[in-house]
């Protein structure tokens, strides 16, 4: 249960959902700036679902905000520092920010310890796996022999891959369809699954596409780009979990 002094989300106030920020260079009014930002659809979908999104810049001390949250969304972003899981960097591993990685891991750990609902997307799912002692394939095409998970093109393109879900899993209940498809854009993926995690979704080539924390009320990671399509189901499920405060846990592996 959240220890927020404002009372639990079910008291009637809008649940506060932390959204881990990403850092990027921008040009604004002729000035080159570095900003902390989030994908607008994540904020919109959470707001539409009755929550108040709160942007969390990945700076030291960000984990101390966990006690004021009702849930956390960890979105996609740059590659993780391979040193976090004891591996040398692959030539394709890029845009690594070890300082931000450490802060985000601390935020993630604090929120999970508080048993708050979590939705981890793309990089977020990879971070969840590394937090639990797992490892990553640093360049998935080396394993699968294709670029279907990150199609190459002149513009950002989502890959559409058939998705097999574990019956009875949290994510299967949220999506609730017979033949779901991913909308993905990633070149890294789970290699060794972290301790205490259950794989609950796979692409047709065996790539792990969804994981859940065993025994946790709602801690779901998906490898696809939730938030970059019109599909709001996962955001709504996170909002519902934030309001409820608890729910049936994913079964142990």
């Amino acid at each position: 249960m959240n220890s927020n002094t404002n009372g639990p989300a079910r008291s009637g106030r809008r649940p506060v959902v932390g959204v881990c920020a990403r850092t990027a260079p921008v040009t604004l009014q002729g000035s080159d700036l570095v900003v902390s930002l989030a994908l607008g659809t994540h904020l919109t979908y959470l707001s539409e679902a009755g929550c108040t999104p709160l942007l969390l810049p990945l700076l030291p001390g960000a984990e101390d905000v966990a006690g004021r949250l009702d849930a956390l969304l960890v979105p996609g972003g740059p590659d993780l520092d391979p040193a976090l899981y004891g591996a040398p960097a692959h030539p394709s591993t890029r845009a690594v920010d070890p300082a931000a990685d450490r802060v985000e891991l601390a935020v993630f750990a604090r929120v999970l310890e508080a048993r708050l609902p979590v939705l981890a997307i793309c990089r977020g799912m990879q971070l969840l796996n590394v937090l639990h002692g797992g490892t990553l394939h640093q360049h998935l095409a080396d394993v699968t022999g294709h670029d279907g998970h990150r199609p190459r093109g002149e513009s950002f393109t989502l890959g559409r891959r058939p998705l097999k879900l574990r019956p009875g899993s949290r994510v299967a209940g949220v999506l609730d369809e017979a033949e779901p498809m991913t909308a993905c854009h990633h070149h890294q993926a789970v290699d060794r699954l972290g301790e205490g995690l259950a794989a609950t979704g796979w692409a047709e080539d065996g790539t792990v596409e969804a994981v859940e924390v065993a025994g946790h009320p709602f801690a779901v990671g998906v490898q696809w780009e939730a938030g970059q399509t019109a599909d709001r189901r996962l955001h709504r499920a996170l909002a519902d979990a934030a309001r409820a405060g608890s729910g049936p846990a994913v079964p142990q592996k």
Side-chain angles (χ1 to χ4, degrees):
M1 183 69 69
N2 189 353
S3 59
N4 190 323
T5 56
N6 292 327
R10 72 187 80 186
S11 66
R13 66 176 179 82
R14 291 172 69 92
V16 176
V17 180
V19 180
C20 291
R22 299 293 171 238
T23 301
V26 301
T27 300
L28 183 64
Q29 295 181 339
S31 296
D32 293 330
L33 306 172
V34 177
V35 300
S36 292
L37 49 81
L39 190 65
T41 46
H42 288 319
L43 310 183
T44 297
Y45 292 175
L46 290 171
S47 179
E48 289 176 348
C51 296
T52 298
L54 176 66
L55 194 66
L56 298 180
L58 297 181
L59 298 172
E63 67 273 16
D64 295 335
V65 180
R68 300 177 181 272
L69 301 177
D70 297 297
L72 179 71
L73 188 150
V74 186
D79 295 337
L80 295 175
D81 181 3
L84 292 172
Y85 48 95
H90 187 281
S92 295
T93 296
R94 67 203 191 287
V96 171
D97 187 342
D101 291 345
R102 288 194 295 272
V103 173
E104 196 163 28
L105 282 166
V107 172
F108 220 150
R110 189 73 65 86
V111 166
L112 288 173
E113 182 181 7
R115 296 182 64 76
L116 299 178
V118 174
L119 174 60
I121 297 170
C122 198
R123 166 194 159 97
M125 186 181 107
Q126 295 166 10
L127 193 79
L128 179 63
N129 189 54
V130 170
L131 179 63
H132 285 79
T135 63
L136 303 178
H137 294 301
Q138 290 188 56
H139 192 56
L140 190 54
D142 291 347
V143 180
T144 63
H146 64 82
D147 286 317
H149 294 273
R150 188 182 65 172
R152 298 186 181 187
E154 295 182 1
S155 60
F156 183 87
T157 304
L158 295 173
R160 304 291 292 180
R161 316 297 303 178
L163 182 63
K164 178 182 178 181
L165 299 176
R166 176 178 168 182
S169 64
R170 175 75 71 174
V171 70
V174 171
L175 298 185
D176 191 25
E177 58 181 293
E179 298 179 354
M181 297 283 290
T182 65
C184 59
H185 190 91
H186 62 99
H187 83 113
Q188 299 196 340
V190 167
D191 180 6
R192 185 181 72 244
L193 190 66
E195 184 177 356
L197 297 181
T200 55
W202 302 264
E204 84 288 358
D205 58 15
T207 300
V208 175
E209 291 285 337
V211 300
E212 303 179 29
V213 178
H216 191 285
F218 188 102
V220 174
V222 298
Q223 187 58 71
W224 61 89
E225 295 288 350
Q228 299 220 30
T229 71
D231 188 347
R232 294 159 164 77
R233 288 174 292 182
L234 285 164
H235 295 76
R236 290 171 179 164
L238 180 65
D240 290 343
R243 276 188 289 271
S246 63
V250 64
Q252 298 285 341
K253 288 189 295 181

